[in-house]
């Protein structure tokens, strides 16, 4: 495994949600209210201001990105830079915002919510499919994920402040048999992703890297990064063997002198490739 490389020293307050689409990487700075685009081919970079805190921006079949904001799911048109509301989520929980998401192979969008102040246990896990939003689990302070196993039969979801990663049985958009999959000892369990061999990769907030868990929940190793606040990792590159990692300085402003690249985008080459990125079916 190569040493991690700093790709973009953008010093985001809370970079999150990296996703590989059309040979480029998209990700957000939630607190900075920005959407970022990085082209691996020529190294070009582009950023857009977002109208509110955006927890994720995931590709749809029509070429747009679906973004999770406090008021719900919004459609972003990269050609015009315009955002438009697709569907409201949680109007009964105004203290919440949407935080992380994942596109399943069937084109459905799974995502979570959280209390923006991280004080109340008001977060939930949702699925958007065929124009409807359905709540599948509840009772989180900070949600992250989810992600699916290669065979689609197991869904992983993180309860970040509790350092817990849960697993569910998954079949045709239905969840059952919620159970504890793993607990992160070093840092908080942030965003998860899964490679083609079924290994679960979890960003470690205040844990200096990305933890790799076997499908049985055994900690295999931690990919170390030079900054302590790693939020999520996503597989990219032509062979899906480049692990792109977002980081943040949120909660660690006093560490920025010692860790000047906090909030940067990093990448590292890995042995096992990731899974192809699905697109949201609108």
């Amino acid at each position: 495994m190569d040493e991690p490389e700093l790709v973009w020293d953008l010093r985001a307050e809370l970079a999150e949600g990296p996703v590989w689409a059309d040979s480029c990487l998209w990700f957000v700075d939630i607190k900075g209210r920005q959407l970022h685009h990085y082209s691996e081919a020529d190294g070009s970079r582009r950023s857009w201001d977002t109208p509110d805190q955006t927890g994720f921006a995931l590709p749809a079949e029509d070429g747009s990105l679906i973004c999770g904001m406090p008021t719900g799911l919004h459609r972003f048109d990269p050609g015009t830079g315009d955002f438009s509301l697709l569907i409201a989520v949680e109007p009964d929980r105004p203290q919440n915002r949407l935080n992380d998401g994942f596109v399943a192979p069937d084109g459905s969008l799974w995502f979570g919510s959280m209390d923006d102040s991280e004080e109340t246990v008001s977060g939930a896990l949702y699925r958007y499919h065929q124009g409807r939003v359905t709540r599948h689990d509840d009772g989180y302070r900070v949600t992250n994920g989810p992600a699916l196993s290669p065979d689609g039969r197991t869904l992983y979801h993180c309860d970040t402040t509790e350092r817990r990663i849960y697993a569910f049985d998954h079949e045709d958009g239905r969840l059952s048999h919620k159970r504890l999959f793993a607990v992160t000892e070093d840092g908080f369990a942030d965003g998860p992703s899964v490679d083609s061999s079924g290994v679960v990769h979890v960003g470690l907030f205040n844990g200096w890297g990305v933890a790799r868990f076997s499908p049985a929940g055994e900690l295999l190793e931690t990919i170390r990064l030079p900054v302590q606040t790693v939020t999520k990792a996503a597989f990219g590159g032509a062979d899906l063997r480049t692990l792109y990692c977002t980081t943040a300085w949120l909660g660690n402003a006093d560490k920025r002198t010692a860790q000047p690249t906090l909030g940067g985008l990093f990448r590292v080459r890995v042995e096992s490739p990731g899974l192809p990125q699905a697109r949201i079916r609108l």
Side-chain angles (χ1 to χ4, degrees):
M1 185 181 296
D2 297 335
E3 290 296 312
E5 172 193 0
L6 178 64
V7 177
W8 189 348
D9 187 16
L10 74 167
R11 306 184 187 190
E13 185 173 357
L14 184 55
E16 259 284 11
V19 59
W20 183 257
D22 297 325
S23 301
C24 297
L25 190 83
W26 293 89
F27 62 103
V28 298
D29 179 356
I30 298 174
K31 294 300 181 182
R33 300 192 179 194
Q34 287 197 309
L35 171 62
H36 298 295
H37 174 272
Y38 169 74
S39 171
E40 188 177 77
D42 59 12
S44 63
R45 307 161 185 180
R46 190 176 179 187
S47 301
W48 293 262
D49 293 331
T50 61
D52 208 332
Q53 296 183 88
T54 302
F56 57 83
L58 295 168
E61 290 182 338
D62 66 355
S64 68
L65 296 175
I66 303 305
C67 303
M69 298 187 192
T71 53
L73 301 177
H74 292 248
R75 181 180 178 273
F76 171 70
D77 184 339
T80 64
D82 293 334
F83 292 84
S84 57
L85 179 64
L86 177 65
I87 189 170
V89 179
E90 292 191 330
D92 58 326
R93 302 183 184 190
Q95 78 277 19
N96 278 7
R97 65 172 175 84
L98 304 188
N99 193 50
D100 195 9
F102 167 80
V103 187
D106 66 358
S108 62
L109 168 62
W110 291 85
F111 61 94
S113 65
M114 60 172 281
D115 174 19
D116 189 41
S117 68
E118 302 183 19
E119 294 180 356
T120 62
V121 183
S122 58
L125 173 63
Y126 295 92
R127 180 180 185 241
Y128 172 77
H129 182 58
Q130 296 180 342
R132 297 179 57 189
V133 173
T134 303
R135 186 179 298 161
H136 285 265
D137 198 28
D138 210 344
Y140 295 84
R141 192 181 307 275
V142 177
T143 62
N144 266 291
L148 277 176
S149 60
D151 63 8
R153 297 175 62 183
T154 305
L155 182 140
Y156 303 99
H157 194 230
C158 296
D159 189 347
T160 297
T161 53
E162 301 303 313
R163 302 179 184 239
R164 292 171 176 257
I165 307 165
Y166 290 105
F168 299 77
D169 289 345
H170 170 263
E171 183 177 4
D172 296 329
R174 298 186 301 273
L175 301 182
S176 61
H177 189 209
K178 180 180 179 180
R179 59 212 181 262
L180 183 64
F181 172 73
V183 175
T184 55
E185 301 293 338
D186 296 328
F188 297 91
D190 213 308
S193 56
V194 181
D195 70 16
S196 58
S197 65
V199 173
V200 182
H201 294 63
V202 178
L204 296 174
F205 198 96
N206 285 340
W208 296 88
V210 178
R212 300 179 71 247
F213 293 93
S214 75
E218 174 191 4
L219 178 63
L220 300 175
E221 66 172 334
T222 298
I223 301 171
R224 295 295 178 184
L225 267 72
V227 294
Q228 72 184 70
T229 314
V230 183
T231 55
K232 192 169 185 175
F235 295 89
D239 57 2
L240 296 179
R241 288 183 51 235
T242 299
L243 195 66
Y244 281 94
C245 306
T246 48
T247 68
W249 59 259
L250 179 73
N252 289 295
D254 59 332
K255 309 290 198 311
R256 297 179 71 186
T257 299
Q259 301 174 57
T261 55
L262 270 173
L265 174 68
F266 292 82
R267 67 184 171 197
V268 60
R269 293 288 289 169
V270 294
E271 291 298 322
S272 182
L275 297 166
Q277 176 63 45
R279 293 178 179 270
I280 300 165
R281 191 167 300 151
L282 299 175

